[in-house]
Amino acid sequence: MQQKLTKLAESIDGELYTDSTHLILYATDASAYREIPTAVCVPKSWDDVRKVITFASKERLPVIPRTAGTSLAGQVVGKGIVVDLSKNFRKILEINPEERWVVVQPGVVRDELNMELKKYGLFFSPETSTSNRCMIGGMVGNNSCGNRSVIYGSTRDHLIAVKAILSDGTEVEFKELTDEEFEAKCNGENVSSPLEVAIYQNIKRILSDKENQERIRRKFPKDSIIRRNTGYAIDLLLNTSPFTPGKAPFNFCKLIAGSEGTLAFITEIKLHLDPVLPPEIGLACLHFDNVDESLRANLIALKYKPSACELMDHYILECTKNNIEYRQHRFFVKGDPGAILVVEFARETREEIEQICANMIAELKEAGLGYHYPVIYGEDTAKIWHLRKAGLGLLSNMPGDPKAVPVIEDTAVDVEDLPEYIREFNEILKKYDLYSVHYAHAGSGELHLRPIINLKTVEGNRLFRTIAEEIAALVKKYRGSLSGEHGDGRLRGEFIRYMIGAKNYALLKEIKRTWDPNNIFNPGKIVDTPSMNTSLRFEELGDLHAEQLRRHHVPQLHGCP
Ligand SMILES: Cc1cc2nc3c(=O)[nH]c(=O)nc-3n(C[C@H](O)[C@H](O)[C@H](O)COP(=O)(O)OP(=O)(O)OC[C@H]3O[C@@H](n4cnc5c(N)ncnc54)[C@H](O)[C@@H]3O)c2cc1C
């Protein structure tokens, strides 16, 4: 293999690394997983990428597309060739302010894109906490979203079109199609290869079947759940006009978003843009004695149409106390709250926001919810968001071996179900003497719940799996989504079959087989995922690289290596 890789390296303009330093650096993302890849490619052109795909196809070697590598579920961890686009594919290709869209390469950083779009009064609205480093390719791959998903939804909702390289090396464009255009593709017209015809015929066959339709509708997460990454989004494709008359036109982008690099290699991305928020922003920082109270208040707050409704619990607030940077941003915190709900209103004038907040606070008081209700305006609002965004990073850097681990950190349920769901969730944790941190996107039914576990112990490793299984059952009971934004990856892939049932899962496998017959694109994610407690960073290292890793003494990495 080494010889073949050397030949591949000679044939491309970019770099191909097989030295241990590169392999170790690319063995991780921001998750609990680690696997040593076979090689790391930093391509210079799409031609390089095509050569890698052709090589991988011939050698049956995985290709793992990677941008910033901030995934939390092991999406860019695996054996094979990791293809890093973060260096040479950072161009904004076209901006159309009148029609409000932009075309970018996958390696454009989300915040850098928005800095450029600011002069047009526009922005790409999904906003991850990692927005200053995560890249659009990865946001599409994971169907990412952020604080304002209550009004802006997720990346999928803004994906107009993508250009991509399929597993046979041919180029395609996926975009909205009329019913006639969709039929034409199924009949082999306007396609670039037999593989493209096959993927259209495959989806048509699956989604035209009445039994499949009924089962997909019954088993996928409730329609009311905005944040939904549960395998391939065939439930959303079913709701397009060839299969459900009167619905939106067919667009494969719905499936590509959240497909975690398992179906095609994306080369260009066309995104819908939103006008920047109205000039006046007010943040009502509602203080509660406990999380349960805050989640009931969340339902009242949502009636007033906020642009975000974000939770920080006592634990997160404690972490910020001891941090030199963040403790300055705690100016609005009074006493020792069990939870703070930050409710954002963006309107044309401050008077409007004052009126809305007065009404909301009156209703909360009447319901006996909360004890302190400051509303913050102007520059200070940035400090509050800064504090909220800091949560995950601070938790990742907890001193000592027990960490707030990402294992069930991304569940989403109908927002109305959230208080009851969290109550049951905490009962499960209590059985194991565990405590979980609660924070983030209460407004859209998703809290980042991270139990504190020591993964360096056998007991911790066992708990990692037990908790995942029990919480999967709970999420299923509420017909929620195991992943709201972080994706399935190595962590949740194993549970998709359980969540949507064996027959629906078989459809996802059929899709993967059709798109990628040699199973080269990021295998082991979405379908055929290995057990979630294998390839963990801290498990006993049994492979050939173990000695190498020990010699290099790899510290725990957080975010991009
Ligand atoms: C501290 C912290 C906070 C976070 N907060 C949030 C949050 O608020 N919201 C949220 O949604 N996520 C969050 N995340 C997760 C992560 O940052 C996002 O999922 C982010 O969008 C990933 O972008 P990336 O560039 O790092 O992608 P990567 O991790 O590099 O890749 C993500 C996926 O996209 C695929 N991919 C990348 N490029 C391509 C391509 N060209 N073609 C095909 N597939 C491709 C990869 O194979 C992979 O499956 C957080 C992570 C951390 C560490």
Side-chain angles (χ1 to χ4, degrees), residues 97 100 110-111 113-126 148 151-152 158 272-281 307 344-348:
R100 290 208 216 138
R110 188 273 188 190
D111 280 0
L113 170 64
N114 281 349
M115 273 186 252
E116 185 58 32
L117 292 170
K118 207 171 175 184
K119 54 180 142 187
Y120 304 99
L122 296 170
F123 81 130
F124 171 56
S125 52
R148 297 190 178 113
I151 54 169
Y152 294 128
H158 302 268
H272 158 265
L273 304 173
D274 281 295
V276 291
L277 284 170
E280 197 63 56
I281 303 270
S307 39
E344 179 188 79
F345 295 100
R347 298 290 190 273
E348 289 305 322

Side-chain angles (χ1 to χ4, degrees), residues 85-135:
L85 302 177
S86 65
K87 189 172 169 199
N88 298 319
F89 298 90
R90 303 178 73 123
K91 285 200 190 96
I92 297 173
L93 300 172
E94 193 181 350
I95 301 174
N96 187 324
E98 289 75 36
E99 293 177 17
R100 290 208 216 138
W101 52 256
V102 64
V103 180
V104 298
Q105 291 187 323
V108 170
V109 172
R110 188 273 188 190
D111 280 0
E112 289 175 11
L113 170 64
N114 281 349
M115 273 186 252
E116 185 58 32
L117 292 170
K118 207 171 175 184
K119 54 180 142 187
Y120 304 99
L122 296 170
F123 81 130
F124 171 56
S125 52
E127 178 192 20
T128 67
S129 297
T130 46
S131 60
N132 62 0
R133 53 203 184 282
C134 82
M135 298 173 178

